[in-house]
PDB file of all heavy atoms in Angstrom:
ATOM      1  N   GLY A   1       0.814  -1.201   0.000  1.00 98.00           N
ATOM      2  CA  GLY A   1       0.000   0.000   0.000  1.00 98.00           C
ATOM      3  C   GLY A   1       0.851   1.256   0.000  1.00 98.00           C
ATOM      4  O   GLY A   1       2.073   1.213   0.127  1.00 98.00           O
ATOM      5  N   GLY A   2       0.179   2.376  -0.153  1.00 98.00           N
ATOM      6  CA  GLY A   2       0.864   3.651  -0.162  1.00 98.00           C
ATOM      7  C   GLY A   2      -0.030   4.756  -0.654  1.00 98.00           C
ATOM      8  O   GLY A   2      -1.243   4.580  -0.801  1.00 98.00           O
ATOM      9  N   LEU A   3       0.583   5.888  -0.894  1.00 98.00           N
ATOM     10  CA  LEU A   3      -0.107   7.068  -1.409  1.00 98.00           C
ATOM     11  C   LEU A   3       0.083   7.139  -2.913  1.00 98.00           C
ATOM     12  O   LEU A   3       1.218   7.073  -3.407  1.00 98.00           O
ATOM     13  CB  LEU A   3       0.441   8.330  -0.745  1.00 98.00           C
ATOM     14  CG  LEU A   3      -0.096   9.670  -1.240  1.00 98.00           C
ATOM     15  CD1 LEU A   3      -1.588   9.784  -0.960  1.00 98.00           C
ATOM     16  CD2 LEU A   3       0.670  10.808  -0.586  1.00 98.00           C
ATOM     17  N   VAL A   4      -1.010   7.279  -3.637  1.00 98.00           N
ATOM     18  CA  VAL A   4      -0.961   7.323  -5.089  1.00 98.00           C
ATOM     19  C   VAL A   4      -1.963   8.355  -5.596  1.00 98.00           C
ATOM     20  O   VAL A   4      -2.995   8.594  -4.969  1.00 98.00           O
ATOM     21  CB  VAL A   4      -1.242   5.930  -5.692  1.00 98.00           C
ATOM     22  CG1 VAL A   4      -2.660   5.470  -5.366  1.00 98.00           C
ATOM     23  CG2 VAL A   4      -0.984   5.906  -7.190  1.00 98.00           C
ATOM     24  N   GLN A   5      -1.646   8.972  -6.720  1.00 98.00           N
ATOM     25  CA  GLN A   5      -2.550   9.945  -7.325  1.00 98.00           C
ATOM     26  C   GLN A   5      -3.695   9.256  -8.050  1.00 98.00           C
ATOM     27  O   GLN A   5      -3.565   8.103  -8.481  1.00 98.00           O
ATOM     28  CB  GLN A   5      -1.790  10.837  -8.301  1.00 98.00           C
ATOM     29  CG  GLN A   5      -0.770  11.747  -7.651  1.00 98.00           C
ATOM     30  CD  GLN A   5      -0.094  12.676  -8.639  1.00 98.00           C
ATOM     31  OE1 GLN A   5      -0.293  12.572  -9.846  1.00 98.00           O
ATOM     32  NE2 GLN A   5       0.701  13.593  -8.126  1.00 98.00           N
ATOM     33  N   PRO A   6      -4.833   9.927  -8.188  1.00 98.00           N
ATOM     34  CA  PRO A   6      -5.914   9.351  -8.993  1.00 98.00           C
ATOM     35  C   PRO A   6      -5.420   8.954 -10.379  1.00 98.00           C
ATOM     36  O   PRO A   6      -4.654   9.679 -11.015  1.00 98.00           O
ATOM     37  CB  PRO A   6      -6.939  10.483  -9.071  1.00 98.00           C
ATOM     38  CG  PRO A   6      -6.696  11.270  -7.828  1.00 98.00           C
ATOM     39  CD  PRO A   6      -5.205  11.221  -7.598  1.00 98.00           C
ATOM     40  N   GLY A   7      -5.859   7.784 -10.822  1.00 98.00           N
ATOM     41  CA  GLY A   7      -5.406   7.241 -12.090  1.00 98.00           C
ATOM     42  C   GLY A   7      -4.165   6.378 -11.989  1.00 98.00           C
ATOM     43  O   GLY A   7      -3.807   5.708 -12.967  1.00 98.00           O
ATOM     44  N   GLY A   8      -3.533   6.373 -10.833  1.00 98.00           N
ATOM     45  CA  GLY A   8      -2.331   5.594 -10.639  1.00 98.00           C
ATOM     46  C   GLY A   8      -2.609   4.146 -10.337  1.00 98.00           C
ATOM     47  O   GLY A   8      -3.755   3.692 -10.317  1.00 98.00           O
ATOM     48  N   SER A   9      -1.533   3.409 -10.065  1.00 98.00           N
ATOM     49  CA  SER A   9      -1.616   1.969  -9.836  1.00 98.00           C
ATOM     50  C   SER A   9      -0.825   1.564  -8.609  1.00 98.00           C
ATOM     51  O   SER A   9       0.162   2.213  -8.237  1.00 98.00           O
ATOM     52  CB  SER A   9      -1.070   1.200 -11.039  1.00 98.00           C
ATOM     53  OG  SER A   9      -1.832   1.437 -12.206  1.00 98.00           O
ATOM     54  N   LEU A  10      -1.266   0.491  -7.986  1.00 98.00           N
ATOM     55  CA  LEU A  10      -0.551  -0.154  -6.899  1.00 98.00           C
ATOM     56  C   LEU A  10      -0.741  -1.651  -7.022  1.00 98.00           C
ATOM     57  O   LEU A  10      -1.766  -2.109  -7.528  1.00 98.00           O
ATOM     58  CB  LEU A  10      -1.056   0.297  -5.529  1.00 98.00           C
ATOM     59  CG  LEU A  10      -0.670   1.678  -5.022  1.00 98.00           C
ATOM     60  CD1 LEU A  10      -1.437   1.980  -3.736  1.00 98.00           C
ATOM     61  CD2 LEU A  10       0.824   1.771  -4.780  1.00 98.00           C
ATOM     62  N   ARG A  11       0.229  -2.402  -6.539  1.00 98.00           N
ATOM     63  CA  ARG A  11       0.117  -3.849  -6.463  1.00 98.00           C
ATOM     64  C   ARG A  11       0.279  -4.285  -5.019  1.00 98.00           C
ATOM     65  O   ARG A  11       1.349  -4.108  -4.430  1.00 98.00           O
ATOM     66  CB  ARG A  11       1.173  -4.538  -7.331  1.00 98.00           C
ATOM     67  CG  ARG A  11       0.941  -6.042  -7.487  1.00 98.00           C
ATOM     68  CD  ARG A  11       2.160  -6.732  -8.033  1.00 98.00           C
ATOM     69  NE  ARG A  11       1.866  -8.081  -8.508  1.00 98.00           N
ATOM     70  CZ  ARG A  11       2.758  -9.066  -8.537  1.00 98.00           C
ATOM     71  NH1 ARG A  11       3.999  -8.860  -8.139  1.00 98.00           N
ATOM     72  NH2 ARG A  11       2.399 -10.261  -8.992  1.00 98.00           N
ATOM     73  N   LEU A  12      -0.768  -4.846  -4.460  1.00 98.00           N
ATOM     74  CA  LEU A  12      -0.744  -5.344  -3.099  1.00 98.00           C
ATOM     75  C   LEU A  12      -0.366  -6.815  -3.079  1.00 98.00           C
ATOM     76  O   LEU A  12      -0.716  -7.569  -3.984  1.00 98.00           O
ATOM     77  CB  LEU A  12      -2.107  -5.167  -2.428  1.00 98.00           C
ATOM     78  CG  LEU A  12      -2.723  -3.767  -2.472  1.00 98.00           C
ATOM     79  CD1 LEU A  12      -4.024  -3.750  -1.683  1.00 98.00           C
ATOM     80  CD2 LEU A  12      -1.750  -2.724  -1.946  1.00 98.00           C
ATOM     81  N   SER A  13       0.333  -7.210  -2.029  1.00 98.00           N
ATOM     82  CA  SER A  13       0.695  -8.601  -1.821  1.00 98.00           C
ATOM     83  C   SER A  13       0.212  -9.060  -0.458  1.00 98.00           C
ATOM     84  O   SER A  13       0.145  -8.273   0.485  1.00 98.00           O
ATOM     85  CB  SER A  13       2.211  -8.794  -1.907  1.00 98.00           C
ATOM     86  OG  SER A  13       2.707  -8.456  -3.181  1.00 98.00           O
ATOM     87  N   CYS A  14      -0.112 -10.325  -0.357  1.00 98.00           N
ATOM     88  CA  CYS A  14      -0.499 -10.938   0.903  1.00 98.00           C
ATOM     89  C   CYS A  14       0.212 -12.271   1.007  1.00 98.00           C
ATOM     90  O   CYS A  14      -0.058 -13.183   0.214  1.00 98.00           O
ATOM     91  CB  CYS A  14      -2.010 -11.127   0.971  1.00 98.00           C
ATOM     92  SG  CYS A  14      -2.578 -12.129   2.362  1.00 98.00           S
ATOM     93  N   ALA A  15       1.117 -12.371   1.961  1.00 97.00           N
ATOM     94  CA  ALA A  15       1.879 -13.585   2.177  1.00 97.00           C
ATOM     95  C   ALA A  15       1.269 -14.372   3.325  1.00 97.00           C
ATOM     96  O   ALA A  15       1.066 -13.842   4.414  1.00 97.00           O
ATOM     97  CB  ALA A  15       3.337 -13.253   2.479  1.00 97.00           C
ATOM     98  N   ALA A  16       0.989 -15.637   3.078  1.00 96.00           N
ATOM     99  CA  ALA A  16       0.368 -16.502   4.065  1.00 96.00           C
ATOM    100  C   ALA A  16       1.374 -17.506   4.600  1.00 96.00           C
ATOM    101  O   ALA A  16       2.240 -17.992   3.869  1.00 96.00           O
ATOM    102  CB  ALA A  16      -0.825 -17.238   3.462  1.00 96.00           C
ATOM    103  N   SER A  17       1.237 -17.825   5.871  1.00 95.00           N
ATOM    104  CA  SER A  17       2.038 -18.871   6.486  1.00 95.00           C
ATOM    105  C   SER A  17       1.172 -19.631   7.480  1.00 95.00           C
ATOM    106  O   SER A  17       0.142 -19.142   7.931  1.00 95.00           O
ATOM    107  CB  SER A  17       3.279 -18.293   7.175  1.00 95.00           C
ATOM    108  OG  SER A  17       2.910 -17.385   8.201  1.00 95.00           O
ATOM    109  N   GLY A  18       1.603 -20.835   7.814  1.00 94.00           N
ATOM    110  CA  GLY A  18       0.863 -21.651   8.764  1.00 94.00           C
ATOM    111  C   GLY A  18      -0.403 -22.264   8.205  1.00 94.00           C
ATOM    112  O   GLY A  18      -1.291 -22.653   8.975  1.00 94.00           O
ATOM    113  N   VAL A  19      -0.493 -22.367   6.901  1.00 92.00           N
ATOM    114  CA  VAL A  19      -1.687 -22.886   6.251  1.00 92.00           C
ATOM    115  C   VAL A  19      -1.287 -23.558   4.938  1.00 92.00           C
ATOM    116  O   VAL A  19      -0.302 -23.153   4.307  1.00 92.00           O
ATOM    117  CB  VAL A  19      -2.716 -21.751   6.015  1.00 92.00           C
ATOM    118  CG1 VAL A  19      -2.144 -20.694   5.076  1.00 92.00           C
ATOM    119  CG2 VAL A  19      -4.026 -22.288   5.484  1.00 92.00           C
ATOM    120  N   ILE A  20      -2.049 -24.583   4.567  1.00 92.00           N
ATOM    121  CA  ILE A  20      -1.842 -25.192   3.250  1.00 92.00           C
ATOM    122  C   ILE A  20      -2.548 -24.289   2.246  1.00 92.00           C
ATOM    123  O   ILE A  20      -3.707 -24.477   1.890  1.00 92.00           O
ATOM    124  CB  ILE A  20      -2.372 -26.628   3.205  1.00 92.00           C
ATOM    125  CG1 ILE A  20      -1.768 -27.464   4.337  1.00 92.00           C
ATOM    126  CG2 ILE A  20      -2.047 -27.267   1.850  1.00 92.00           C
ATOM    127  CD1 ILE A  20      -2.337 -28.868   4.439  1.00 92.00           C
ATOM    128  N   PHE A  21      -1.819 -23.310   1.777  1.00 93.00           N
ATOM    129  CA  PHE A  21      -2.372 -22.187   1.042  1.00 93.00           C
ATOM    130  C   PHE A  21      -3.171 -22.614  -0.183  1.00 93.00           C
ATOM    131  O   PHE A  21      -4.247 -22.082  -0.457  1.00 93.00           O
ATOM    132  CB  PHE A  21      -1.227 -21.247   0.645  1.00 93.00           C
ATOM    133  CG  PHE A  21      -1.643 -20.047  -0.140  1.00 93.00           C
ATOM    134  CD1 PHE A  21      -2.163 -18.937   0.496  1.00 93.00           C
ATOM    135  CD2 PHE A  21      -1.503 -20.023  -1.520  1.00 93.00           C
ATOM    136  CE1 PHE A  21      -2.533 -17.817  -0.222  1.00 93.00           C
ATOM    137  CE2 PHE A  21      -1.869 -18.912  -2.251  1.00 93.00           C
ATOM    138  CZ  PHE A  21      -2.385 -17.810  -1.599  1.00 93.00           C
ATOM    139  N   ARG A  22      -2.660 -23.567  -0.927  1.00 94.00           N
ATOM    140  CA  ARG A  22      -3.218 -23.912  -2.225  1.00 94.00           C
ATOM    141  C   ARG A  22      -4.653 -24.423  -2.174  1.00 94.00           C
ATOM    142  O   ARG A  22      -5.347 -24.390  -3.189  1.00 94.00           O
ATOM    143  CB  ARG A  22      -2.344 -24.950  -2.924  1.00 94.00           C
ATOM    144  CG  ARG A  22      -2.362 -26.313  -2.263  1.00 94.00           C
ATOM    145  CD  ARG A  22      -1.436 -27.284  -2.977  1.00 94.00           C
ATOM    146  NE  ARG A  22      -1.580 -28.643  -2.451  1.00 94.00           N
ATOM    147  CZ  ARG A  22      -0.970 -29.103  -1.373  1.00 94.00           C
ATOM    148  NH1 ARG A  22      -0.153 -28.314  -0.681  1.00 94.00           N
ATOM    149  NH2 ARG A  22      -1.164 -30.359  -0.973  1.00 94.00           N
ATOM    150  N   ILE A  23      -5.115 -24.901  -1.023  1.00 93.00           N
ATOM    151  CA  ILE A  23      -6.444 -25.491  -0.946  1.00 93.00           C
ATOM    152  C   ILE A  23      -7.535 -24.469  -0.612  1.00 93.00           C
ATOM    153  O   ILE A  23      -8.721 -24.808  -0.639  1.00 93.00           O
ATOM    154  CB  ILE A  23      -6.501 -26.641   0.070  1.00 93.00           C
ATOM    155  CG1 ILE A  23      -6.419 -26.135   1.512  1.00 93.00           C
ATOM    156  CG2 ILE A  23      -5.399 -27.652  -0.218  1.00 93.00           C
ATOM    157  CD1 ILE A  23      -6.638 -27.213   2.552  1.00 93.00           C
ATOM    158  N   TYR A  24      -7.153 -23.246  -0.327  1.00 95.00           N
ATOM    159  CA  TYR A  24      -8.119 -22.241   0.096  1.00 95.00           C
ATOM    160  C   TYR A  24      -8.401 -21.210  -0.979  1.00 95.00           C
ATOM    161  O   TYR A  24      -7.497 -20.749  -1.679  1.00 95.00           O
ATOM    162  CB  TYR A  24      -7.621 -21.503   1.341  1.00 95.00           C
ATOM    163  CG  TYR A  24      -7.580 -22.356   2.575  1.00 95.00           C
ATOM    164  CD1 TYR A  24      -6.383 -22.896   3.035  1.00 95.00           C
ATOM    165  CD2 TYR A  24      -8.745 -22.616   3.290  1.00 95.00           C
ATOM    166  CE1 TYR A  24      -6.346 -23.686   4.169  1.00 95.00           C
ATOM    167  CE2 TYR A  24      -8.711 -23.406   4.423  1.00 95.00           C
ATOM    168  CZ  TYR A  24      -7.511 -23.935   4.858  1.00 95.00           C
ATOM    169  OH  TYR A  24      -7.481 -24.714   5.991  1.00 95.00           O
ATOM    170  N   ALA A  25      -9.665 -20.836  -1.085  1.00 96.00           N
ATOM    171  CA  ALA A  25      -9.986 -19.603  -1.768  1.00 96.00           C
ATOM    172  C   ALA A  25      -9.446 -18.433  -0.950  1.00 96.00           C
ATOM    173  O   ALA A  25      -9.292 -18.528   0.268  1.00 96.00           O
ATOM    174  CB  ALA A  25     -11.498 -19.461  -1.955  1.00 96.00           C
ATOM    175  N   MET A  26      -9.143 -17.337  -1.628  1.00 97.00           N
ATOM    176  CA  MET A  26      -8.632 -16.143  -0.967  1.00 97.00           C
ATOM    177  C   MET A  26      -9.445 -14.933  -1.393  1.00 97.00           C
ATOM    178  O   MET A  26     -10.018 -14.897  -2.481  1.00 97.00           O
ATOM    179  CB  MET A  26      -7.163 -15.912  -1.315  1.00 97.00           C
ATOM    180  CG  MET A  26      -6.211 -17.001  -0.854  1.00 97.00           C
ATOM    181  SD  MET A  26      -6.058 -17.082   0.954  1.00 97.00           S
ATOM    182  CE  MET A  26      -5.357 -15.477   1.324  1.00 97.00           C
ATOM    183  N   GLY A  27      -9.469 -13.952  -0.525  1.00 97.00           N
ATOM    184  CA  GLY A  27     -10.180 -12.731  -0.839  1.00 97.00           C
ATOM    185  C   GLY A  27      -9.417 -11.503  -0.403  1.00 97.00           C
ATOM    186  O   GLY A  27      -8.626 -11.548   0.539  1.00 97.00           O
ATOM    187  N   TRP A  28      -9.648 -10.417  -1.113  1.00 98.00           N
ATOM    188  CA  TRP A  28      -9.206  -9.097  -0.703  1.00 98.00           C
ATOM    189  C   TRP A  28     -10.424  -8.302  -0.239  1.00 98.00           C
ATOM    190  O   TRP A  28     -11.472  -8.311  -0.894  1.00 98.00           O
ATOM    191  CB  TRP A  28      -8.502  -8.352  -1.834  1.00 98.00           C
ATOM    192  CG  TRP A  28      -7.081  -8.769  -2.052  1.00 98.00           C
ATOM    193  CD1 TRP A  28      -6.616  -9.631  -2.992  1.00 98.00           C
ATOM    194  CD2 TRP A  28      -5.942  -8.323  -1.315  1.00 98.00           C
ATOM    195  NE1 TRP A  28      -5.259  -9.763  -2.892  1.00 98.00           N
ATOM    196  CE2 TRP A  28      -4.811  -8.966  -1.871  1.00 98.00           C
ATOM    197  CE3 TRP A  28      -5.766  -7.445  -0.243  1.00 98.00           C
ATOM    198  CZ2 TRP A  28      -3.519  -8.760  -1.384  1.00 98.00           C
ATOM    199  CZ3 TRP A  28      -4.485  -7.243   0.244  1.00 98.00           C
ATOM    200  CH2 TRP A  28      -3.381  -7.892  -0.325  1.00 98.00           C
ATOM    201  N   TYR A  29     -10.261  -7.620   0.878  1.00 98.00           N
ATOM    202  CA  TYR A  29     -11.297  -6.799   1.474  1.00 98.00           C
ATOM    203  C   TYR A  29     -10.746  -5.403   1.698  1.00 98.00           C
ATOM    204  O   TYR A  29      -9.542  -5.206   1.721  1.00 98.00           O
ATOM    205  CB  TYR A  29     -11.746  -7.374   2.818  1.00 98.00           C
ATOM    206  CG  TYR A  29     -12.213  -8.808   2.764  1.00 98.00           C
ATOM    207  CD1 TYR A  29     -11.309  -9.860   2.649  1.00 98.00           C
ATOM    208  CD2 TYR A  29     -13.570  -9.122   2.845  1.00 98.00           C
ATOM    209  CE1 TYR A  29     -11.735 -11.176   2.614  1.00 98.00           C
ATOM    210  CE2 TYR A  29     -14.008 -10.432   2.811  1.00 98.00           C
ATOM    211  CZ  TYR A  29     -13.084 -11.455   2.694  1.00 98.00           C
ATOM    212  OH  TYR A  29     -13.513 -12.757   2.666  1.00 98.00           O
ATOM    213  N   ARG A  30     -11.629  -4.454   1.895  1.00 98.00           N
ATOM    214  CA  ARG A  30     -11.176  -3.123   2.256  1.00 98.00           C
ATOM    215  C   ARG A  30     -12.163  -2.475   3.207  1.00 98.00           C
ATOM    216  O   ARG A  30     -13.350  -2.788   3.207  1.00 98.00           O
ATOM    217  CB  ARG A  30     -10.971  -2.239   1.023  1.00 98.00           C
ATOM    218  CG  ARG A  30     -12.235  -1.886   0.264  1.00 98.00           C
ATOM    219  CD  ARG A  30     -11.890  -1.160  -1.027  1.00 98.00           C
ATOM    220  NE  ARG A  30     -13.074  -0.777  -1.769  1.00 98.00           N
ATOM    221  CZ  ARG A  30     -13.050  -0.261  -2.985  1.00 98.00           C
ATOM    222  NH1 ARG A  30     -11.897  -0.061  -3.610  1.00 98.00           N
ATOM    223  NH2 ARG A  30     -14.188   0.067  -3.594  1.00 98.00           N
ATOM    224  N   GLN A  31     -11.640  -1.578   4.005  1.00 98.00           N
ATOM    225  CA  GLN A  31     -12.463  -0.815   4.927  1.00 98.00           C
ATOM    226  C   GLN A  31     -12.052   0.649   4.837  1.00 98.00           C
ATOM    227  O   GLN A  31     -10.932   1.016   5.189  1.00 98.00           O
ATOM    228  CB  GLN A  31     -12.324  -1.318   6.356  1.00 98.00           C
ATOM    229  CG  GLN A  31     -13.302  -0.670   7.317  1.00 98.00           C
ATOM    230  CD  GLN A  31     -13.416  -1.414   8.622  1.00 98.00           C
ATOM    231  OE1 GLN A  31     -12.505  -2.147   9.016  1.00 98.00           O
ATOM    232  NE2 GLN A  31     -14.539  -1.239   9.303  1.00 98.00           N
ATOM    233  N   ALA A  32     -12.971   1.459   4.350  1.00 97.00           N
ATOM    234  CA  ALA A  32     -12.752   2.890   4.236  1.00 97.00           C
ATOM    235  C   ALA A  32     -13.160   3.568   5.538  1.00 97.00           C
ATOM    236  O   ALA A  32     -13.953   3.020   6.316  1.00 97.00           O
ATOM    237  CB  ALA A  32     -13.554   3.459   3.070  1.00 97.00           C
ATOM    238  N   PRO A  33     -12.637   4.766   5.794  1.00 91.00           N
ATOM    239  CA  PRO A  33     -13.004   5.476   7.023  1.00 91.00           C
ATOM    240  C   PRO A  33     -14.513   5.644   7.152  1.00 91.00           C
ATOM    241  O   PRO A  33     -15.174   6.111   6.224  1.00 91.00           O
ATOM    242  CB  PRO A  33     -12.306   6.829   6.862  1.00 91.00           C
ATOM    243  CG  PRO A  33     -11.156   6.556   5.956  1.00 91.00           C
ATOM    244  CD  PRO A  33     -11.651   5.511   5.002  1.00 91.00           C
ATOM    245  N   GLY A  34     -15.039   5.241   8.297  1.00 94.00           N
ATOM    246  CA  GLY A  34     -16.457   5.375   8.560  1.00 94.00           C
ATOM    247  C   GLY A  34     -17.346   4.399   7.826  1.00 94.00           C
ATOM    248  O   GLY A  34     -18.574   4.536   7.882  1.00 94.00           O
ATOM    249  N   LYS A  35     -16.760   3.428   7.161  1.00 96.00           N
ATOM    250  CA  LYS A  35     -17.525   2.467   6.377  1.00 96.00           C
ATOM    251  C   LYS A  35     -17.322   1.047   6.883  1.00 96.00           C
ATOM    252  O   LYS A  35     -16.361   0.757   7.592  1.00 96.00           O
ATOM    253  CB  LYS A  35     -17.126   2.537   4.902  1.00 96.00           C
ATOM    254  CG  LYS A  35     -17.331   3.889   4.252  1.00 96.00           C
ATOM    255  CD  LYS A  35     -18.802   4.244   4.162  1.00 96.00           C
ATOM    256  CE  LYS A  35     -19.009   5.556   3.424  1.00 96.00           C
ATOM    257  NZ  LYS A  35     -20.447   5.895   3.332  1.00 96.00           N
ATOM    258  N   GLN A  36     -18.238   0.171   6.515  1.00 96.00           N
ATOM    259  CA  GLN A  36     -18.101  -1.241   6.819  1.00 96.00           C
ATOM    260  C   GLN A  36     -17.062  -1.872   5.898  1.00 96.00           C
ATOM    261  O   GLN A  36     -16.814  -1.392   4.787  1.00 96.00           O
ATOM    262  CB  GLN A  36     -19.441  -1.960   6.652  1.00 96.00           C
ATOM    263  CG  GLN A  36     -20.564  -1.420   7.508  1.00 96.00           C
ATOM    264  CD  GLN A  36     -20.493  -1.906   8.939  1.00 96.00           C
ATOM    265  OE1 GLN A  36     -19.550  -2.574   9.352  1.00 96.00           O
ATOM    266  NE2 GLN A  36     -21.508  -1.568   9.718  1.00 96.00           N
ATOM    267  N   ARG A  37     -16.474  -2.957   6.368  1.00 96.00           N
ATOM    268  CA  ARG A  37     -15.557  -3.702   5.541  1.00 96.00           C
ATOM    269  C   ARG A  37     -16.314  -4.347   4.386  1.00 96.00           C
ATOM    270  O   ARG A  37     -17.404  -4.881   4.571  1.00 96.00           O
ATOM    271  CB  ARG A  37     -14.848  -4.774   6.371  1.00 96.00           C
ATOM    272  CG  ARG A  37     -13.783  -5.539   5.621  1.00 96.00           C
ATOM    273  CD  ARG A  37     -12.995  -6.428   6.569  1.00 96.00           C
ATOM    274  NE  ARG A  37     -13.855  -7.366   7.259  1.00 96.00           N
ATOM    275  CZ  ARG A  37     -13.750  -7.663   8.548  1.00 96.00           C
ATOM    276  NH1 ARG A  37     -12.828  -7.080   9.294  1.00 96.00           N
ATOM    277  NH2 ARG A  37     -14.578  -8.548   9.081  1.00 96.00           N
ATOM    278  N   GLU A  38     -15.747  -4.277   3.197  1.00 96.00           N
ATOM    279  CA  GLU A  38     -16.393  -4.843   2.029  1.00 96.00           C
ATOM    280  C   GLU A  38     -15.456  -5.778   1.286  1.00 96.00           C
ATOM    281  O   GLU A  38     -14.239  -5.602   1.288  1.00 96.00           O
ATOM    282  CB  GLU A  38     -16.878  -3.740   1.080  1.00 96.00           C
ATOM    283  CG  GLU A  38     -15.769  -2.901   0.463  1.00 96.00           C
ATOM    284  CD  GLU A  38     -16.267  -1.951  -0.609  1.00 96.00           C
ATOM    285  OE1 GLU A  38     -17.289  -2.251  -1.264  1.00 96.00           O
ATOM    286  OE2 GLU A  38     -15.626  -0.890  -0.795  1.00 96.00           O
ATOM    287  N   LEU A  39     -16.050  -6.756   0.658  1.00 97.00           N
ATOM    288  CA  LEU A  39     -15.305  -7.694  -0.161  1.00 97.00           C
ATOM    289  C   LEU A  39     -15.021  -7.068  -1.514  1.00 97.00           C
ATOM    290  O   LEU A  39     -15.934  -6.574  -2.187  1.00 97.00           O
ATOM    291  CB  LEU A  39     -16.101  -8.985  -0.326  1.00 97.00           C
ATOM    292  CG  LEU A  39     -15.471 -10.108  -1.151  1.00 97.00           C
ATOM    293  CD1 LEU A  39     -14.173 -10.587  -0.515  1.00 97.00           C
ATOM    294  CD2 LEU A  39     -16.452 -11.262  -1.292  1.00 97.00           C
ATOM    295  N   VAL A  40     -13.764  -7.103  -1.924  1.00 98.00           N
ATOM    296  CA  VAL A  40     -13.332  -6.475  -3.160  1.00 98.00           C
ATOM    297  C   VAL A  40     -13.174  -7.486  -4.282  1.00 98.00           C
ATOM    298  O   VAL A  40     -13.626  -7.261  -5.411  1.00 98.00           O
ATOM    299  CB  VAL A  40     -12.009  -5.709  -2.948  1.00 98.00           C
ATOM    300  CG1 VAL A  40     -11.469  -5.162  -4.266  1.00 98.00           C
ATOM    301  CG2 VAL A  40     -12.213  -4.587  -1.942  1.00 98.00           C
ATOM    302  N   ALA A  41     -12.513  -8.591  -3.996  1.00 98.00           N
ATOM    303  CA  ALA A  41     -12.209  -9.583  -5.018  1.00 98.00           C
ATOM    304  C   ALA A  41     -11.955 -10.924  -4.366  1.00 98.00           C
ATOM    305  O   ALA A  41     -11.489 -10.995  -3.229  1.00 98.00           O
ATOM    306  CB  ALA A  41     -10.990  -9.164  -5.845  1.00 98.00           C
ATOM    307  N   THR A  42     -12.260 -11.990  -5.087  1.00 97.00           N
ATOM    308  CA  THR A  42     -11.997 -13.343  -4.613  1.00 97.00           C
ATOM    309  C   THR A  42     -11.326 -14.153  -5.699  1.00 97.00           C
ATOM    310  O   THR A  42     -11.477 -13.878  -6.895  1.00 97.00           O
ATOM    311  CB  THR A  42     -13.280 -14.072  -4.184  1.00 97.00           C
ATOM    312  OG1 THR A  42     -14.164 -14.187  -5.299  1.00 97.00           O
ATOM    313  CG2 THR A  42     -13.980 -13.331  -3.051  1.00 97.00           C
ATOM    314  N   ILE A  43     -10.594 -15.155  -5.265  1.00 98.00           N
ATOM    315  CA  ILE A  43      -9.994 -16.113  -6.184  1.00 98.00           C
ATOM    316  C   ILE A  43     -10.079 -17.484  -5.541  1.00 98.00           C
ATOM    317  O   ILE A  43      -9.738 -17.664  -4.373  1.00 98.00           O
ATOM    318  CB  ILE A  43      -8.544 -15.724  -6.546  1.00 98.00           C
ATOM    319  CG1 ILE A  43      -7.975 -16.676  -7.597  1.00 98.00           C
ATOM    320  CG2 ILE A  43      -7.654 -15.660  -5.313  1.00 98.00           C
ATOM    321  CD1 ILE A  43      -6.696 -16.158  -8.244  1.00 98.00           C
ATOM    322  N   THR A  44     -10.568 -18.452  -6.288  1.00 97.00           N
ATOM    323  CA  THR A  44     -10.697 -19.804  -5.774  1.00 97.00           C
ATOM    324  C   THR A  44      -9.353 -20.506  -5.797  1.00 97.00           C
ATOM    325  O   THR A  44      -8.367 -20.012  -6.350  1.00 97.00           O
ATOM    326  CB  THR A  44     -11.708 -20.613  -6.586  1.00 97.00           C
ATOM    327  OG1 THR A  44     -11.175 -20.857  -7.892  1.00 97.00           O
ATOM    328  CG2 THR A  44     -13.041 -19.881  -6.697  1.00 97.00           C
TER     329      THR A  44
END
């Protein structure tokens, strides 16, 4: 994460440990100020 201008790009990474990673679906979520956490994307 970081600070980026509108129209820009970022690549987020999530490293997992302590789990057999390959067998799980994964999701990215986000929570904006004053908002509920929402599901952004999933991958099986």
Side-chain angles (χ1 to χ4, degrees):
L3 176 64
V4 64
Q5 293 183 354
S9 297
L10 285 172
R11 190 195 195 208
L12 308 184
S13 298
C14 170
S17 61
V19 63
I20 306 175
F21 179 81
R22 68 182 187 277
I23 72 173
Y24 292 101
M26 297 292 297
W28 281 99
Y29 304 75
R30 67 187 181 187
Q31 188 165 23
K35 301 294 184 180
Q36 302 281 6
R37 185 172 58 222
E38 65 172 332
L39 181 62
V40 174
T42 61
I43 185 166
T44 69

